[in-house]
Amino acid sequence: MISLISANWLLFLIALLIGVATAFWAWAVSGREGAMDGFDADDGLLEKAGDAVTPLPEPVVPTVAPAPVPAPAPAPAPVAPKTVAPEALAAVTAAKVAPAPAPAPRTRKRPVVAETTPPPPPGKPNISAAKGDPDNLRLIKGVGPKLNSLLNNLGVTRYDQIADWKEAEIEEVDKYLESFSGRITRDSWIDQAKYLAKDDITGFEKKYGKL
């Protein structure tokens, strides 16, 4: 028997549950019917005794005042368009219509005028006259054909004549050199003439280059 139950325990458990549920259902049905019978008997007794059933008063429902409806917000006042003063309107119109200012005139640059050498004074420079035959002044560095002719016309023809010049003679002759003014000092004529007057060609070429 125990082995049979252990082998089919699930079936026995289901049958047990069904039996318990059936018994509970039968008990519940019998109890409900008895309660209904007792209620009907009591109602009959009350009717027979002639007791009047006092109706229950109706419940008083408190009245709640409705919430006040908020007044609608006033509509914003219309914004009036800004009026422009006639003077300002006229100024704006004139600014739009006014022509663009004319460009400033360009200033023309004045042409640079080269300084002209003043003409030499008339006559010849006040210097010592040359003594002896003329030398080839073109051997002096810086003296070309034109300057050589100019010196000869001024009475300057010899090396020893130039070698003896001092500051006064240099300034005097320089006045007559026209566009060649300043060449006596710049090209060292006095020093070159001293070498050539002594016929020191070696010393001259060593200092001033080949002749």
Side-chain angles (χ1 to χ4, degrees), residues 71-96:
V79 179
K82 295 182 178 180
T83 58
V84 181
E87 295 80 1
L89 183 59
V92 173
T93 306
K96 291 182 179 179

Side-chain angles (χ1 to χ4, degrees), residues 129-208:
K131 297 178 182 180
D133 297 332
D135 296 320
N136 184 10
L137 300 182
R138 293 186 60 185
L139 295 180
I140 298 175
K141 301 293 183 180
V143 177
K146 185 176 181 180
L147 185 54
N148 181 61
S149 299
L150 178 60
L151 291 173
N152 291 337
N153 292 333
L154 295 175
V156 181
T157 58
R158 293 183 57 85
Y159 299 135
D160 56 358
Q161 183 186 12
I162 298 174
D164 291 337
W165 285 351
K166 301 296 186 291
E167 190 67 28
E169 286 82 2
I170 295 174
E171 292 181 1
E172 180 68 17
V173 175
D174 199 61
K175 298 176 184 178
Y176 294 84
L177 294 183
E178 302 175 357
S179 60
F180 300 101
S181 177
R183 298 290 293 274
I184 300 174
T185 304
R186 185 165 61 250
D187 294 337
S188 303
W189 287 5
I190 309 300
D191 189 56
Q192 291 188 64
K194 288 180 180 179
Y195 283 103
L196 294 174
K198 297 177 183 178
D199 202 20
D200 187 2
I201 305 301
T202 303
F204 181 92
E205 291 182 345
K206 185 177 180 179
K207 189 171 183 179
Y208 295 103

Side-chain angles (χ1 to χ4, degrees), residues 104-112:
R106 296 181 179 179
T107 56
R108 296 183 179 179
K109 295 183 178 180
R110 296 181 179 179
V112 178

